[in-house]
Amino acid sequence: MDLRQLWSELKINNPQLSSLRESYLSAKATVPQIAAPANPQVGLVWSGMPVNSPFALGGANAPSPNNPGSGGISSNNSISVAQPFQFPGKKSLAADIADTNAEALLASAESTYLQIDAQLSTLHYSALSSQKQLQVLKESVIRLEMIKNVAKARYANNAAAYVEYLNAQLAQNAAQADQFNVERQLDVALKNIFS
């Protein structure tokens, strides 16, 4: 994958970025709710309780010598509708604050994306560097094998000292050790990129 494909995958599949994006959208969705007028309140007053009922409060409209026609049942029923309102400007101020908080979440998400993107770029170029270094080391091991074989043949023909062969073998072993270390670095870089 090239770096642009990795960036696209990062935007889509990174759980931290997805969480931040959803937090922003959630915060942004509350702004119109905060700016909306308060819900109207509807009330019902029902005083039609029998006089001796445990829920009856007092004896309002109970039959008495002055009020004999009530039959012992209250008839003070009513419906009320109320619309609370806040002091002018408070709703719009609360909505502006919520909108500013949502934009701060968006800025935080973008900052986190840039940090993760920088880490991804570093890992990507580190992996590319390791791949190139590994290629060079593999070629060096092959060349050192050829040099070692030449030194061995020269020693067998008494044209060179045995030290020349040993030096070639040591150089080849060092190159193989470096190759192993770079392979491990490359594996770690790739695992970090795709985790």
Side-chain angles (χ1 to χ4, degrees):
M1 293 181 113
D2 66 357
L3 193 54
R4 289 185 186 186
Q5 291 171 330
L6 289 173
W7 283 337
S8 298
E9 288 295 317
L10 174 72
K11 285 180 185 177
I12 295 169
N13 296 326
N14 187 287
Q16 185 179 7
L17 292 178
S18 297
S19 172
L20 288 170
R21 185 171 44 248
E22 292 302 320
S23 295
Y24 164 72
L25 292 175
S26 173
K28 198 68 172 173
T30 62
V31 174
Q33 296 171 7
I34 292 172
N39 291 332
Q41 298 173 350
V42 177
L44 172 64
V45 176
W46 180 59
S47 300
M49 295 285 179
V51 175
N52 295 327
S53 169
F55 296 108
L57 301 175
N61 288 337
S64 66
N66 296 335
N67 189 11
S70 67
I73 295 186
S74 174
S75 60
N76 293 333
N77 299 332
S78 66
I79 296 176
S80 66
V81 176
Q83 175 65 50
F85 67 94
Q86 289 185 330
F87 191 76
K90 284 200 172 250
K91 280 280 188 187
S92 62
L93 181 60
D96 288 344
I97 290 170
D99 189 47
T100 303
N101 289 339
E103 294 302 322
L105 284 173
L106 178 63
S108 173
E110 289 174 352
S111 172
T112 302
Y113 170 72
L114 290 175
Q115 290 172 357
I116 292 173
D117 186 36
Q119 291 172 354
L120 178 65
S121 297
T122 301
L123 288 171
H124 175 72
Y125 288 118
S126 173
L128 284 178
S129 173
S130 294
Q131 283 177 335
K132 296 294 183 186
Q133 189 177 3
L134 186 60
Q135 182 181 359
V136 168
L137 285 171
K138 285 180 179 180
E139 292 172 1
S140 294
V141 168
I142 292 170
R143 287 189 183 112
L144 287 169
E145 178 67 27
M146 291 188 295
I147 291 171
K148 185 176 80 171
N149 290 337
V150 168
K152 186 176 183 181
R154 289 184 65 202
Y155 173 70
N157 292 329
N158 291 328
Y162 188 68
V163 170
E164 190 177 313
Y165 170 75
L166 290 178
N167 286 339
Q169 189 173 11
L170 285 173
Q172 183 185 23
N173 289 342
Q176 286 173 335
D178 290 343
Q179 178 182 346
F180 176 75
N181 289 334
V182 171
E183 284 173 350
R184 289 183 55 95
Q185 289 174 359
L186 180 59
D187 286 342
V188 168
L190 292 175
K191 285 179 182 174
N192 285 335
I193 288 173
F194 294 109
S195 64

